[in-house]
Amino acid sequence: MDETDRGKVVRFFLAGSVLCLVGMFFSFYLKGFILYGSQFGRKYKIIGVTYMTLNNQFYDVLNSEIQQRVEEKGDHLITLDPALDQEKQNEQIEYLIEQGADVIILNPVDWKGVKKGLEAAKKKNIPVIVVDTEVYDTDLVDVTIVTDNYQAGVLCAKDMMDRQKEANILLLTHDKTKSGRDRIQGFTDTIQSHNEYKIIAMEDTQGQIERSLPKVEKMVEEHEDIDVIMSLNDPTAMGALAALDSKGYKKDVLVYGVDGSPEGKRLITESKMTGTAVQYPRKMGASAIKAAYELLAGKDVDKTVTIPVKLITKENVSEYDLERWQ
């Protein structure tokens, strides 16, 4: 290779090196620009929400209230459904962080198992608002908005005691949620000192009608003396009613739920469900998004918001709209 050729090769490699350096610099600059633009340069806010499941009308109503208020402000809502899988929900929290969520609204699958996701949000200084059911690690969240779940159980127990002087009781639970635990705890604490009321069986249904129905069918086959079924929510109560019907259970059974859903209220008018403690998903959604924007504005907010409950029975169901949630 003569000097001329050698010079050409050197100039070629020098030019290539310069182009590589320019490309690397441009790529780094572009990545930084995109990151800045997506999180700091954009004018709209991103609100991320993950519910334990959307296979429950309660969460649809709650989310609709949030969505309406977010869209009114010209902001963006990301709604996710982990389908009762806590590992998946933790991954969804990571996804919301990656998408640049300014606030995360959370309805946890497992009140203890969600800790990993909460820690990820805390590390990025993203405010977290918990709705409907608490988390165990309350120091990792900014606001908790829930129904007075314990009182819901108390109201159902007191109504039952007014109607029955004694009873054999089935409990339908959801042990991984604090709300479900509190509702059942309120019920059992109320009857604890009354030996005439006996818990003869209990089953975890995860709050789902399709899980409640077969489990109650099995319990009905095992017990001929059921007087009362206390359900943590309306879907499990409806599953219980379907099971009683499918098995042709002859005895009249008092069935209680928690929600105040349109379906639950209609069943009360038909004398099928005995009572349901009212929840207010619209109020809960409005409170959650109000807290979200107050946090973003740097305002002080209440750490805990507890929404009072009432019991709907056949005596007062006419006071409520049968077609709508409260």
Side-chain angles (χ1 to χ4, degrees):
M1 181 182 295
D2 58 22
E3 290 296 327
T4 301
D5 291 336
R6 189 178 292 111
K8 288 180 180 180
V9 171
V10 170
R11 286 194 296 273
F12 174 79
F13 278 109
L14 284 175
S17 298
V18 170
L19 287 173
C20 286
L21 287 172
V22 170
M24 289 173 61
F25 176 78
F26 180 76
S27 176
F28 178 79
Y29 176 80
L30 182 62
K31 184 177 180 180
F33 179 78
I34 292 172
L35 182 64
Y36 176 85
S38 63
Q39 297 192 30
F40 304 102
R42 58 176 160 81
K43 294 181 180 180
Y44 61 89
K45 300 295 184 183
I46 295 177
I47 310 297
V49 188
T50 171
Y51 300 101
M52 67 172 73
T53 177
L54 286 174
N55 185 29
N56 185 328
Q57 193 183 36
F58 176 86
Y59 298 119
D60 284 332
V61 176
L62 196 163
N63 192 67
S64 293
E65 188 69 25
I66 291 173
Q67 184 171 9
Q68 178 184 335
R69 293 170 184 263
V70 169
E71 290 178 352
E72 284 173 355
K73 289 186 173 288
D75 293 329
H76 182 56
L77 181 70
I78 302 174
T79 301
L80 302 174
D81 174 9
L84 295 171
D85 184 332
Q86 185 56 64
E87 184 177 348
K88 185 174 180 180
Q89 187 172 60
N90 287 337
E91 292 172 357
Q92 289 179 347
I93 293 171
E94 293 277 7
Y95 172 79
L96 292 172
I97 293 169
E98 292 171 1
Q99 295 304 303
D102 297 286
V103 177
I104 293 174
I105 298 175
L106 169 72
N107 169 239
V109 174
D110 183 327
W111 77 307
K112 290 185 177 180
V114 74
K115 183 177 181 179
K116 181 179 178 182
L118 295 176
E119 288 177 332
K122 192 74 170 180
K123 186 176 180 181
K124 296 295 185 179
N125 295 316
I126 299 173
V128 174
I129 299 168
V130 171
V131 293
D132 181 52
T133 181
E134 297 98 319
V135 299
Y136 183 78
D137 299 283
T138 55
D139 58 310
L140 295 176
V141 304
D142 297 86
V143 180
T144 299
I145 303 170
V146 291
T147 298
D148 190 341
N149 291 298
Y150 185 89
Q151 184 64 14
V154 170
L155 292 177
C156 292
K158 286 184 174 180
D159 185 80
M160 176 203 70
M161 294 168 77
D162 287 340
R163 297 174 189 273
Q164 297 271 113
K165 292 184 178 180
E166 58 183 16
N168 291 323
I169 304 165
L170 302 183
L171 299 178
L172 302 181
T173 69
H174 188 180
D175 295 338
K176 288 188 176 182
T177 62
K178 185 66 161 56
S179 57
R181 293 162 69 101
D182 283 350
R183 293 167 192 174
I184 298 301
Q185 192 69 51
F187 185 93
T188 56
D189 284 355
T190 304
I191 66 173
Q192 187 173 21
S193 61
H194 301 271
N195 294 330
E196 61 271 30
Y197 300 103
K198 299 176 182 178
I199 309 299
I200 60 173
M202 59 192 303
E203 286 286 349
D204 191 324
T205 63
Q206 290 189 295
Q208 303 296 299
I209 187 171
E210 64 272 16
R211 302 191 185 196
S212 169
L213 195 159
K215 290 190 174 185
V216 176
E217 284 182 331
K218 184 174 184 294
M219 287 192 284
V220 164
E221 291 171 356
E222 297 171 351
H223 301 278
E224 297 179 352
D225 55 349
I226 302 168
D227 300 301
V228 176
I229 299 178
M230 173 60 197
S231 312
L232 79 138
N233 63 8
D234 283 3
T236 53
M238 288 185 275
L241 287 168
L244 293 171
D245 185 61
S246 73
K247 291 297 181 179
Y249 202 70
K250 304 299 183 184
K251 194 171 184 179
D252 288 334
V253 179
L254 303 184
V255 178
Y256 291 90
V258 177
D259 273 335
S261 65
E263 294 88 347
K265 287 179 287 190
R266 285 194 290 271
L267 287 167
I268 288 172
T269 65
E270 297 167 5
S271 299
K272 294 179 180 177
M273 188 182 293
T274 310
T276 178
V278 176
Q279 290 207 90
Y280 299 87
R282 298 184 190 282
K283 182 183 293 186
M284 189 175 289
S287 297
I289 202 61
K290 180 175 181 288
Y293 284 113
E294 287 178 345
L295 287 169
L296 291 174
K299 296 181 180 179
D300 292 330
V301 297
D302 292 332
K303 181 77 173 174
T304 303
V305 177
T306 303
I307 301 173
V309 293
K310 295 179 181 179
L311 186 69
I312 300 177
T313 64
K314 196 161 187 179
E315 287 73 28
N316 66 355
V317 69
S318 61
E319 300 171 13
Y320 295 85
D321 186 342
L322 300 186
E323 304 302 321
R324 292 169 54 85
W325 287 76
Q326 288 59 244

